[in-house]
Amino acid sequence: MRLIALLHLALLASGCAAGHRTAMPRVITAEAARDRSLIELRLEHFAINNRGRDDPAGAVDEARRTFARYLAAEAKWASVVIEAKDLAAGPVEGHVPVGVRVTATVDQTYDPTFVLEALAPLTYLLVTPAIGDAVVRIDARLKLPTETQAGEEFYVSVTAPYSQFDYGWFDTREVDQAFRRAWDVAMRRISREIVERIDHAPLGPLLSAADRARAERRRIPARPASLMANEDGPFAVAWTSSVASASVAVGASVIGGATSAPVVGGASALAGSGAGSELRGDALLASPRALAALGPELRASLELAQSVAIEPRDLILDNEGFDIIRYPVARGDDGFLSRYLGALGGIELARYQGSANIESRTKTESSVSELVGSGGAKATGYRIAAFRPPDRTGFFFPPALGLLWEDITIASFREDIRLVTRAGRTDIPAVASDPATGQALDINEPISYALRMRSAYLGQGVGLNLVFGNEDVQLFFTAAVTANILELRYIDVQIWKSHVEGLQVEAFKSGSFRGQVGIAIQPWHLALRLSGSAERYFEFAFPQPVEFPAASRYVPEKDIFERERAFATSASLDKYDFEFSAVFLF
Amino acid sequence: MKRALLCCLSLAAIACADGGPTPPGEPAVLIVTNRSQFTLLELRLHGTASYAEAQNVLAVPLTINATVSHRGSGQYYVTTFRERYAGGPTVALTTETPVSLVDDQRYQLSVFDTSFRLEER
């Protein structure tokens, strides 16, 4: 008993096992760094919410440094400042400071399957699945020198699924790996967006001023402004061309006086050490007076310098290798027709074999529930239909709307009745015949009734898909149960030459179980599956009691064997279907 | 001694003498009881295996455990008509062999679902 309790505690613990949520990836340079050598990135704020209890104390510092490396790898900055003392010292003279404020939030989900977990006590905790998501969301804001406050917040959220089937209650390697993947993608994406936003930010005048200042200090010619901005986009090129002529105007209108000194002063002010001006660079352009003094072209360019949206912001990473699939594998978008056909899944050719069994029970002298009648029917054939293989692991809740259409015969059982002979009397068997024709009959022939059963039902199901694989090959297993909440039942019973009919509404009198196993091979556009289903309709009521002879029994008061006349009021119907099918996937 | 012998001879002579035509006995009484689980629609007694020409002796259907009596001696087949099952066709059940009824005797014939039982009372 203690062992079982321990096992269950361990099973519960498996749901609580948490990895290191701040497990950091190695920095990988995504592309050649671009030149932003006048911009000093200042990581003013970096926090991680909802850290795991297993994370080391220095996890945030490590994450901060890792993030700085991602920023540095994304572009060639003047510097990326992360240390507190450097931040307190202010930006280096001649650099255009851009503040970066980051808040990361980590989360981990655990999705129980309720099926695999049940195996844990049976396997001494060998099978203890840990299936879920590692989620890293990074919210960031930029503090431009041209703004008095940090700009709008932008984010990226990355979900990395993980799955593990053995010893998941203490082994968190898969979870850690998922967090590394999520952090890697999140940091890379947010770093890239920071670069894009800075490239599109209205920093042209300041960059020009800083570049001129640097050039003057070095006594070398200033570079054309157009080279300082993002050379990738047409907007950036047009923007910088307007700034080239406007930068002087900025300095002249705000600071006044000579055209050269104010520019230098502006740049100095940005660095926080410029003499002759109390205004910082951000105040220069934030000032309404300054903006009003700008030429219309430059003002328009500043207003157009809006945020850059990198979509999608909510990313779900694909599996690494052959693993449990919890999110659909992303497919190429080839247009409307492809999407339409993709929604259908594919065309399935199935060979099916079905059977239906019916039975009727009733209370008799010898039993409280005696089987008195049964019947069966079989069907085989081929079927063509659309079919879409399951594309992710998880529960699903399919509604059930259907129609039962079953014609079946139910019959009693054949049984010969023994004759009891005693001395002093004569027991004489009866010979049965048809009074109309005089032809002999078999009195023990089973009684049969032709039934026409119909049911229109509405129900609700719950199912579980288990999908394993990679983007090319998926193995899928499905189990689903459905309860028919409401049914409209019709039954026609043929009793010899007459028919009796009944119509009634029933609730929760039927249900089904379905299962399938299959494989989908996407490059071949092929799927194979084996499926089966079982449906049960309880107590399909007859319009009137139907007679069946019960099993023979000895009747002491008559001193004979006799089959009691039993009257059944309903029958239960079971349907089984099995299919093997090949699917051409669109 | 002679007298005793004479008496014996006289008694023997009387015993061996032809008594002439004896008066006929009473027909046998056949009491038919429905001990089956069905109401008997008809009851026919007939001398041959075929019941087609025989008359129904029931004025009304014979309900379960009801009794009807019939007088007659000789060999008879007995046939009952009943529903095979509720709402089903009518079936005729005939004794596989005829029953022999002797004058002045009373018989009890029980009709079961698929057999008969003859008992002498």
Side-chain angles (χ1 to χ4, degrees), chain A residues 498-532:
Chain A
S498 63
H499 290 263
V500 289
E501 299 174 319
L503 187 69
Q504 59 191 137
V505 177
E506 298 283 8
F508 294 103
K509 283 287 186 73
S510 61
S512 65
F513 172 81
R514 300 174 199 280
Q516 68 174 354
V517 55
I519 182 172
I521 306 170
Q522 301 293 345
W524 296 357
H525 293 272
L526 175 68
L528 300 172
R529 74 170 181 133
L530 183 65
S531 64

Short mmCIF file of all heavy atoms in Angstrom, two decimals, chain A residues 498-532:
data_model
loop_
_atom_site.label_atom_id
_atom_site.label_comp_id
_atom_site.label_asym_id
_atom_site.label_seq_id
_atom_site.Cartn_x
_atom_site.Cartn_y
_atom_site.Cartn_z
N SER A 498 -47.77 -8.87 -39.50
CA SER A 498 -48.15 -7.50 -39.17
C SER A 498 -46.93 -6.71 -38.69
O SER A 498 -45.91 -7.29 -38.31
CB SER A 498 -49.22 -7.50 -38.08
OG SER A 498 -48.71 -8.08 -36.90
N HIS A 499 -47.07 -5.42 -38.73
CA HIS A 499 -45.99 -4.54 -38.28
C HIS A 499 -46.49 -3.70 -37.12
O HIS A 499 -47.63 -3.24 -37.11
CB HIS A 499 -45.55 -3.60 -39.41
CG HIS A 499 -44.84 -4.29 -40.52
ND1 HIS A 499 -43.47 -4.34 -40.61
CD2 HIS A 499 -45.31 -4.97 -41.60
CE1 HIS A 499 -43.12 -5.02 -41.69
NE2 HIS A 499 -44.24 -5.41 -42.32
N VAL A 500 -45.62 -3.51 -36.16
CA VAL A 500 -45.91 -2.53 -35.11
C VAL A 500 -44.75 -1.54 -35.11
O VAL A 500 -43.60 -1.91 -35.32
CB VAL A 500 -46.07 -3.19 -33.73
CG1 VAL A 500 -47.35 -3.98 -33.66
CG2 VAL A 500 -44.88 -4.08 -33.42
N GLU A 501 -45.07 -0.28 -34.92
CA GLU A 501 -44.07 0.77 -35.00
C GLU A 501 -44.04 1.56 -33.71
O GLU A 501 -45.03 1.63 -32.99
CB GLU A 501 -44.38 1.73 -36.15
CG GLU A 501 -44.39 1.08 -37.52
CD GLU A 501 -44.85 2.05 -38.59
OE1 GLU A 501 -45.81 2.81 -38.33
OE2 GLU A 501 -44.25 2.05 -39.65
N GLY A 502 -42.89 2.15 -33.47
CA GLY A 502 -42.75 3.00 -32.29
C GLY A 502 -41.80 4.14 -32.57
O GLY A 502 -40.85 4.00 -33.33
N LEU A 503 -42.06 5.27 -31.96
CA LEU A 503 -41.21 6.45 -32.10
C LEU A 503 -41.06 7.06 -30.72
O LEU A 503 -42.05 7.26 -30.00
CB LEU A 503 -41.88 7.45 -33.04
CG LEU A 503 -41.06 8.68 -33.44
CD1 LEU A 503 -39.89 8.28 -34.33
CD2 LEU A 503 -41.94 9.70 -34.16
N GLN A 504 -39.85 7.30 -30.34
CA GLN A 504 -39.67 7.88 -29.02
C GLN A 504 -38.36 8.67 -28.94
O GLN A 504 -37.45 8.48 -29.75
CB GLN A 504 -39.70 6.80 -27.94
CG GLN A 504 -38.65 5.73 -28.12
CD GLN A 504 -38.92 4.58 -27.19
OE1 GLN A 504 -38.82 3.42 -27.57
NE2 GLN A 504 -39.26 4.87 -25.96
N VAL A 505 -38.30 9.55 -27.98
CA VAL A 505 -37.11 10.37 -27.74
C VAL A 505 -36.40 9.80 -26.52
O VAL A 505 -37.02 9.51 -25.50
CB VAL A 505 -37.50 11.84 -27.48
CG1 VAL A 505 -36.27 12.67 -27.16
CG2 VAL A 505 -38.21 12.40 -28.70
N GLU A 506 -35.11 9.62 -26.66
CA GLU A 506 -34.32 9.06 -25.57
C GLU A 506 -33.13 9.96 -25.29
O GLU A 506 -32.67 10.69 -26.17
CB GLU A 506 -33.80 7.66 -25.94
CG GLU A 506 -34.88 6.64 -26.20
CD GLU A 506 -35.49 6.12 -24.91
OE1 GLU A 506 -35.17 6.66 -23.83
OE2 GLU A 506 -36.30 5.17 -24.98
N ALA A 507 -32.65 9.89 -24.08
CA ALA A 507 -31.47 10.66 -23.69
C ALA A 507 -30.44 9.72 -23.08
O ALA A 507 -30.79 8.86 -22.26
CB ALA A 507 -31.84 11.75 -22.69
N PHE A 508 -29.22 9.88 -23.53
CA PHE A 508 -28.09 9.10 -23.01
C PHE A 508 -28.39 7.59 -23.05
O PHE A 508 -28.23 6.89 -22.08
CB PHE A 508 -27.75 9.53 -21.58
CG PHE A 508 -27.22 10.93 -21.51
CD1 PHE A 508 -28.03 11.97 -21.08
CD2 PHE A 508 -25.92 11.21 -21.90
CE1 PHE A 508 -27.55 13.27 -21.04
CE2 PHE A 508 -25.42 12.51 -21.85
CZ PHE A 508 -26.25 13.54 -21.41
N LYS A 509 -28.83 7.13 -24.17
CA LYS A 509 -29.11 5.70 -24.33
C LYS A 509 -28.18 5.05 -25.37
O LYS A 509 -28.41 3.91 -25.75
CB LYS A 509 -30.57 5.49 -24.76
CG LYS A 509 -31.58 5.63 -23.64
CD LYS A 509 -31.52 4.43 -22.70
CE LYS A 509 -32.61 4.45 -21.66
NZ LYS A 509 -33.92 4.15 -22.21
N SER A 510 -27.19 5.80 -25.83
CA SER A 510 -26.27 5.19 -26.79
C SER A 510 -24.95 5.93 -26.76
O SER A 510 -24.85 7.05 -26.25
CB SER A 510 -26.86 5.21 -28.20
OG SER A 510 -27.09 6.53 -28.61
N GLY A 511 -23.95 5.29 -27.30
CA GLY A 511 -22.62 5.89 -27.35
C GLY A 511 -21.72 5.06 -28.24
O GLY A 511 -22.13 4.03 -28.78
N SER A 512 -20.52 5.55 -28.38
CA SER A 512 -19.60 4.85 -29.28
C SER A 512 -18.17 5.01 -28.81
O SER A 512 -17.84 5.91 -28.04
CB SER A 512 -19.74 5.38 -30.71
OG SER A 512 -19.32 6.73 -30.77
N PHE A 513 -17.35 4.12 -29.26
CA PHE A 513 -15.90 4.19 -29.04
C PHE A 513 -15.24 4.00 -30.39
O PHE A 513 -15.61 3.10 -31.15
CB PHE A 513 -15.45 3.10 -28.07
CG PHE A 513 -13.95 3.02 -27.96
CD1 PHE A 513 -13.26 3.89 -27.15
CD2 PHE A 513 -13.24 2.09 -28.69
CE1 PHE A 513 -11.88 3.84 -27.06
CE2 PHE A 513 -11.86 2.02 -28.61
CZ PHE A 513 -11.18 2.90 -27.79
N ARG A 514 -14.28 4.83 -30.68
CA ARG A 514 -13.58 4.73 -31.95
C ARG A 514 -12.07 4.78 -31.71
O ARG A 514 -11.61 5.46 -30.79
CB ARG A 514 -13.95 5.88 -32.89
CG ARG A 514 -15.42 5.94 -33.21
CD ARG A 514 -15.79 7.17 -34.02
NE ARG A 514 -17.21 7.42 -33.92
CZ ARG A 514 -18.13 6.77 -34.63
NH1 ARG A 514 -17.75 5.85 -35.48
NH2 ARG A 514 -19.42 7.03 -34.48
N GLY A 515 -11.35 4.10 -32.54
CA GLY A 515 -9.91 4.12 -32.43
C GLY A 515 -9.28 3.93 -33.79
O GLY A 515 -9.90 3.37 -34.71
N GLN A 516 -8.08 4.42 -33.92
CA GLN A 516 -7.37 4.24 -35.18
C GLN A 516 -5.88 4.30 -34.94
O GLN A 516 -5.41 4.88 -33.96
CB GLN A 516 -7.77 5.30 -36.21
CG GLN A 516 -7.30 6.70 -35.87
CD GLN A 516 -7.59 7.71 -36.97
OE1 GLN A 516 -8.04 7.34 -38.03
NE2 GLN A 516 -7.32 8.97 -36.70
N VAL A 517 -5.16 3.68 -35.82
CA VAL A 517 -3.71 3.76 -35.82
C VAL A 517 -3.29 3.90 -37.27
O VAL A 517 -3.88 3.27 -38.17
CB VAL A 517 -3.10 2.51 -35.15
CG1 VAL A 517 -3.59 1.24 -35.80
CG2 VAL A 517 -1.58 2.57 -35.19
N GLY A 518 -2.31 4.75 -37.51
CA GLY A 518 -1.93 4.96 -38.90
C GLY A 518 -0.59 5.64 -39.02
O GLY A 518 0.05 6.01 -38.03
N ILE A 519 -0.19 5.80 -40.25
CA ILE A 519 1.07 6.47 -40.56
C ILE A 519 0.83 7.38 -41.76
O ILE A 519 0.14 7.00 -42.71
CB ILE A 519 2.20 5.46 -40.84
CG1 ILE A 519 3.51 6.20 -41.10
CG2 ILE A 519 1.85 4.53 -41.99
CD1 ILE A 519 4.71 5.26 -41.18
N ALA A 520 1.35 8.57 -41.68
CA ALA A 520 1.27 9.53 -42.79
C ALA A 520 2.68 9.85 -43.26
O ALA A 520 3.54 10.18 -42.44
CB ALA A 520 0.55 10.80 -42.36
N ILE A 521 2.89 9.70 -44.54
CA ILE A 521 4.21 9.99 -45.12
C ILE A 521 4.01 11.15 -46.07
O ILE A 521 3.53 10.99 -47.19
CB ILE A 521 4.76 8.75 -45.85
CG1 ILE A 521 4.76 7.54 -44.90
CG2 ILE A 521 6.17 9.02 -46.36
CD1 ILE A 521 5.05 6.23 -45.59
N GLN A 522 4.34 12.33 -45.60
CA GLN A 522 4.01 13.55 -46.34
C GLN A 522 4.72 13.64 -47.69
O GLN A 522 4.08 14.02 -48.69
CB GLN A 522 4.32 14.78 -45.48
CG GLN A 522 3.56 14.82 -44.16
CD GLN A 522 2.07 15.01 -44.33
OE1 GLN A 522 1.61 15.38 -45.39
NE2 GLN A 522 1.31 14.73 -43.28
N PRO A 523 6.01 13.33 -47.77
CA PRO A 523 6.65 13.47 -49.09
C PRO A 523 6.02 12.57 -50.15
O PRO A 523 6.07 12.88 -51.33
CB PRO A 523 8.10 13.06 -48.81
CG PRO A 523 8.29 13.27 -47.35
CD PRO A 523 6.97 12.97 -46.72
N TRP A 524 5.46 11.45 -49.73
CA TRP A 524 4.81 10.54 -50.68
C TRP A 524 3.33 10.84 -50.84
O TRP A 524 2.63 10.14 -51.59
CB TRP A 524 4.96 9.09 -50.22
CG TRP A 524 6.37 8.60 -50.18
CD1 TRP A 524 7.49 9.29 -50.55
CD2 TRP A 524 6.82 7.32 -49.72
NE1 TRP A 524 8.61 8.52 -50.35
CE2 TRP A 524 8.23 7.30 -49.84
CE3 TRP A 524 6.18 6.19 -49.22
CZ2 TRP A 524 8.99 6.20 -49.48
CZ3 TRP A 524 6.93 5.09 -48.86
CH2 TRP A 524 8.33 5.10 -48.99
N HIS A 525 2.81 11.78 -50.10
CA HIS A 525 1.38 12.09 -50.11
C HIS A 525 0.56 10.84 -49.80
O HIS A 525 -0.47 10.57 -50.44
CB HIS A 525 0.95 12.67 -51.46
CG HIS A 525 1.54 14.01 -51.73
ND1 HIS A 525 0.94 15.18 -51.33
CD2 HIS A 525 2.70 14.37 -52.32
CE1 HIS A 525 1.70 16.21 -51.70
NE2 HIS A 525 2.78 15.73 -52.29
N LEU A 526 1.00 10.08 -48.86
CA LEU A 526 0.37 8.78 -48.58
C LEU A 526 0.14 8.62 -47.08
O LEU A 526 0.99 9.01 -46.26
CB LEU A 526 1.27 7.64 -49.07
CG LEU A 526 0.81 6.22 -48.73
CD1 LEU A 526 -0.46 5.87 -49.50
CD2 LEU A 526 1.91 5.21 -49.03
N ALA A 527 -0.98 8.06 -46.77
CA ALA A 527 -1.26 7.67 -45.38
C ALA A 527 -1.96 6.32 -45.40
O ALA A 527 -2.74 6.02 -46.31
CB ALA A 527 -2.12 8.71 -44.68
N LEU A 528 -1.67 5.52 -44.42
CA LEU A 528 -2.33 4.24 -44.24
C LEU A 528 -2.89 4.21 -42.83
O LEU A 528 -2.25 4.71 -41.90
CB LEU A 528 -1.33 3.08 -44.40
CG LEU A 528 -0.62 2.97 -45.74
CD1 LEU A 528 0.47 1.91 -45.68
CD2 LEU A 528 -1.62 2.64 -46.84
N ARG A 529 -4.07 3.65 -42.72
CA ARG A 529 -4.63 3.61 -41.37
C ARG A 529 -5.54 2.39 -41.21
O ARG A 529 -6.12 1.89 -42.18
CB ARG A 529 -5.38 4.88 -41.03
CG ARG A 529 -6.71 5.03 -41.70
CD ARG A 529 -7.46 6.19 -41.12
NE ARG A 529 -8.76 6.33 -41.75
CZ ARG A 529 -9.89 6.51 -41.09
NH1 ARG A 529 -9.88 6.59 -39.77
NH2 ARG A 529 -11.03 6.62 -41.72
N LEU A 530 -5.60 1.97 -39.96
CA LEU A 530 -6.49 0.89 -39.56
C LEU A 530 -7.38 1.46 -38.47
O LEU A 530 -6.87 2.01 -37.48
CB LEU A 530 -5.67 -0.29 -39.02
CG LEU A 530 -6.44 -1.53 -38.62
CD1 LEU A 530 -7.09 -2.18 -39.84
CD2 LEU A 530 -5.48 -2.54 -37.97
N SER A 531 -8.65 1.36 -38.68
CA SER A 531 -9.55 1.98 -37.71
C SER A 531 -10.67 1.02 -37.34
O SER A 531 -10.98 0.09 -38.08
CB SER A 531 -10.14 3.28 -38.27
OG SER A 531 -10.94 3.00 -39.40
N GLY A 532 -11.22 1.27 -36.21
CA GLY A 532 -12.34 0.46 -35.75
C GLY A 532 -13.27 1.29 -34.89
O GLY A 532 -12.86 2.30 -34.31
#
